[in-house]
Amino acid sequence: MGAMVLDRTDRVRGEQVREQWEATYRERWREGLTRLQGIPGVVLGFHSVIDGLKRVKKADVERALERVPVYGVAREAAEGDGATPAGSPEEIRSPRDFLLCLLDSMQKGKAMQRMIRDAGTFRWLMEEFGYDFPRLGGTSGNMSSALAPIGVGILVYANPLTTDLAELFVPAENLRVLVEENGAYALKTPRAAASRTGVEAIHWIFEYPEGLTVRVGEKSFATPRANRFIASWNPVNNQLRIDPAFRRGLLARADEFSHFIVSGFHILSETYPDGTTYKECLIPVAEYLAKLRRANPEMLVHYEFASIGSARIRRGIVDWILPRVDSLGLNEVELITVARDAGEPALAERLEKSESIVDVLEATYLVASRSGLRRIQLHNLGYYLCLTSPGYAEGSGADTGMDAALSALLAAATLAAYRTAQGAVSGDFAELGSGLAQPLSSRGLAALRELDEYVGAQGELEKTGVFRYREYDLAFIPTKVVAEPVLTVGLGDLISATAFLATK
Ligand code: 8BR
């Protein structure tokens, strides 16, 4: 009897908290977006690329297997034992390598990503497979699509810029690239700046459904689940050598930009055929960031983590890039790898197993405090958590900095819900507000309650979403989750960029 009463009290209380958060969203989601519209300008570097989506069909694969004289491929792939596949090269240097990787991914139903290192193979793939339709991708490209409709001044890095890439950007006067003309640096829309055609870099997304049967040599297999294999061709950027005109031009015009969002290091390799390593790629970018900060000490810099397979490259980012940025954004999977890299295997393991919010907070805190970050934001399905150093977010009027950090998260969650449900961002606030109709995540609400107890907030965190945690201000929101998503690609980029820019 007693337990039942408690259950009921709990339920009522839970409903009250949910209703209160719905009200908080309704009242405050615009605050962050209005602040975002007011920023002088943001630079988005260094990864914009054509995403070529290709739905893999049985006939495509079987035809390719017939045409490429690779009886060996068929045999090796069919005999792969799963754990150590007979053929899954680390990089793609031939059509044969490509087929081995694609078949390996399909046989296991496992997401995989590989770089294409050979121009002949790129051309062969274009002819043999092509793609069904292109969309703008890359972390910077994704962010530009989310931010341009809202009216923020954007300088995006898009190199090599052909009309094929330029036409995928949102056509907006506030979204521009930097070009050098007669010794001066001008900002132009990607369409106005692109002078040649063609596909010079592409991120191929080969999607396959569950149960796709493919005949390989004498055998056949069926894909155990739907997944994708990504093959990237990006010879100009795979060592992240920043285009010299961009490098000089941004230094010359640095005072026009208040924010910089850096990302794209996931396309680096540990070693290159010319004998260089990721270090020769990362260090010059880190030095450039330092120079830029000297040119404009007011500029706030955010680094967006992406899924990076190499522990060495991740370590390099922690050592060289993080000391040069103010803010970091990441998801729960990236948090696990960073915690492990930081020498916290037990914490990483706990996170992997239970994803308890207490461990998420501790790992986020650990990354922030060890790297000396002023802001860190973690997004997960159902909630966002953010730690900011007191004073980082300014707030305005009666708002404290903590409030600004919170309303920035609310703005990001509303925009994310809208984009997930509609497939694209709108510049019309009345339209965007429809994101509020999406339901609040029960998982997020449960995590909030657990967190409140853990930090000893006695209900204050659960009610307001903000609380002091050690030397940081903690902001936490349960998010809206869309039951039938139209588009989730690049959502993490949208969330992190919006919340970072809307904070200050
Ligand atoms: P990454 O791109 O870093 O993986 O982040 C994706 C984020 O998108 C998740 O953390 C989650 O917050 C958000 N998201 C996803 Br995935 N599906 C969503 C949905 N159906 N509704 C709202 N947000 C979603």
Side-chain angles (χ1 to χ4, degrees):
M1 184 72 188
M4 270 172 69
V5 172
L6 206 65
D7 262 8
R8 191 157 171 274
T9 321
D10 248 19
R11 252 198 335 270
V12 171
R13 190 174 157 280
E15 273 318 303
Q16 279 168 350
V17 173
R18 179 184 287 272
E19 204 21 71
Q20 195 198 321
W21 273 95
E22 291 287 8
T24 304
Y25 265 91
R26 280 195 302 275
E27 284 157 24
R28 304 199 50 192
W29 71 276
R30 281 189 191 81
E31 279 173 35
L33 287 182
T34 309
R35 221 167 18 242
L36 194 157
Q37 286 182 317
I39 69 164
V42 59
V43 185
L44 305 175
F46 296 97
H47 188 42
S48 307
V49 74
I50 298 172
D51 271 355
L53 196 81
K54 173 77 188 166
R55 293 199 179 87
V56 180
K57 297 195 190 70
K58 177 182 165 69
D60 294 330
V61 185
E62 293 183 349
R63 192 187 57 231
L65 279 168
E66 263 168 38
R67 288 200 192 156
V68 179
V70 280
Y71 173 62
V73 167
R75 203 173 51 215
E76 281 176 53
E79 288 172 2
D81 66 8
T84 49
S88 185
E90 298 229 318
E91 296 187 328
I92 298 171
R93 295 175 192 279
S94 65
R96 181 176 184 276
D97 286 350
F98 166 77
L99 286 171
L100 286 171
C101 291
L102 176 68
L103 290 172
D104 188 26
S105 167
M106 289 176 70
Q107 244 178 335
K108 292 175 183 158
K110 189 177 152 214
M112 246 169 70
Q113 184 155 7
R114 293 286 187 275
M115 294 302 294
I116 303 166
R117 296 282 184 219
D118 167 66
T121 307
F122 156 66
R123 285 193 295 270
W124 176 82
L125 270 169
M126 274 302 233
E127 279 166 26
E128 192 67 40
F129 285 84
Y131 48 83
D132 300 336
F133 61 88
R135 65 175 288 282
L136 180 63
T139 37
S140 310
N142 288 333
M143 290 176 189
S144 79
S145 300
L147 298 170
I150 302 172
V152 189
I154 299 169
L155 165 59
V156 67
Y157 186 76
N159 180 50
L161 183 62
T162 63
T163 50
D164 297 61
L165 174 62
E167 280 165 7
L168 300 177
F169 281 94
V170 171
E173 285 304 314
N174 54 308
L175 167 54
R176 293 177 295 176
V177 295
L178 206 154
V179 287
E180 190 171 9
E181 283 175 341
N182 312 318
Y185 301 103
L187 299 180
K188 287 186 165 183
T189 64
R191 281 171 178 77
S195 55
R196 55 184 198 279
T197 58
V199 174
E200 294 181 17
I202 181 168
H203 197 82
W204 251 294
I205 305 173
F206 293 94
E207 282 190 340
Y208 50 84
E210 181 184 326
L212 184 74
T213 310
V214 178
R215 189 161 183 79
V216 188
E218 301 301 308
K219 299 184 182 176
S220 61
F221 69 84
T223 52
R225 68 185 74 87
N227 218 325
R228 58 199 189 182
F229 170 57
I230 298 175
S232 301
W233 169 246
N234 201 339
V236 175
N237 293 303
N238 67 14
Q239 288 175 293
L240 260 186
R241 299 224 167 91
I242 307 168
D243 172 51
F246 183 91
R247 182 186 272 276
R248 290 191 299 266
L250 180 55
L251 274 177
R253 302 184 66 149
D255 56 352
E256 293 170 39
F257 299 95
S258 50
H259 295 73
F260 194 157
I261 305 182
V262 184
S263 61
F265 298 138
H266 54 290
I267 66 174
L268 295 180
S269 297
E270 282 193 13
T271 56
Y272 293 92
D274 63 4
T276 57
T277 71
Y278 67 98
K279 286 188 197 170
E280 283 85 26
C281 309
L282 275 184
I283 294 174
V285 177
E287 284 168 352
Y288 181 68
L289 287 179
K291 234 186 216 176
L292 202 56
R293 302 195 67 131
R294 284 196 292 277
N296 178 0
E298 304 286 304
M299 190 185 276
L300 287 170
V301 185
H302 174 94
Y303 175 64
E304 186 61 21
F305 228 101
S307 158
I308 298 174
S310 153
R312 281 199 195 141
I313 299 178
R314 289 198 302 267
R315 195 68 245 165
I317 286 166
V318 171
D319 289 345
W320 297 311
I321 303 296
L322 294 195
R324 267 118 191 163
V325 307
D326 303 281
S327 169
L328 173 70
L330 73 181
N331 68 23
E332 74 289 358
V333 179
E334 292 147 12
L335 182 67
I336 294 170
T337 55
V338 181
R340 189 168 287 125
D341 296 344
E344 300 284 340
L347 180 57
E349 208 138 290
R350 281 207 307 278
L351 274 171
E352 209 154 31
K353 274 200 196 117
S354 74
E355 255 187 42
S356 132
I357 191 64
V358 168
D359 293 330
V360 168
L361 172 67
E362 287 304 343
T364 309
Y365 171 79
L366 192 134
V367 176
S369 57
R370 288 207 190 154
S371 310
L373 291 165
R374 297 169 65 207
R375 177 177 184 276
I376 187 166
Q377 187 197 326
L378 175 114
H379 57 270
N380 199 343
L381 188 64
Y383 65 82
Y384 310 152
L385 181 157
C386 183
L387 297 174
T388 46
S389 296
Y392 173 86
E394 277 165 350
S396 60
D399 271 1
T400 63
M402 264 187 178
D403 280 328
L406 184 84
S407 59
L409 297 185
L410 293 168
T414 310
L415 203 64
Y418 180 86
R419 217 271 322 235
T420 307
Q422 304 296 328
V425 170
S426 158
D428 179 349
F429 273 29
E431 268 277 308
L432 290 178
S434 67
L436 296 175
Q438 300 296 334
L440 271 173
S441 160
S442 300
R443 178 189 190 208
L445 286 163
L448 175 58
R449 179 151 193 211
E450 196 182 335
L451 204 59
D452 185 289
E453 274 170 28
Y454 178 68
V455 300
Q458 297 185 328
E460 192 184 327
L461 176 65
E462 190 176 32
K463 190 168 162 217
T464 62
V466 293
F467 198 70
R468 183 67 186 257
Y469 182 68
R470 304 202 203 183
E471 69 272 32
Y472 285 99
D473 288 338
L474 163 66
F476 182 101
I477 63 161
T479 61
K480 303 270 173 175
V481 171
V482 180
E484 286 177 17
V486 169
L487 181 70
T488 59
V489 180
L491 207 43
D493 298 330
L494 174 152
I495 294 163
S496 289
T498 308
F500 166 63
L501 298 177
T503 303
K504 185 171 178 172

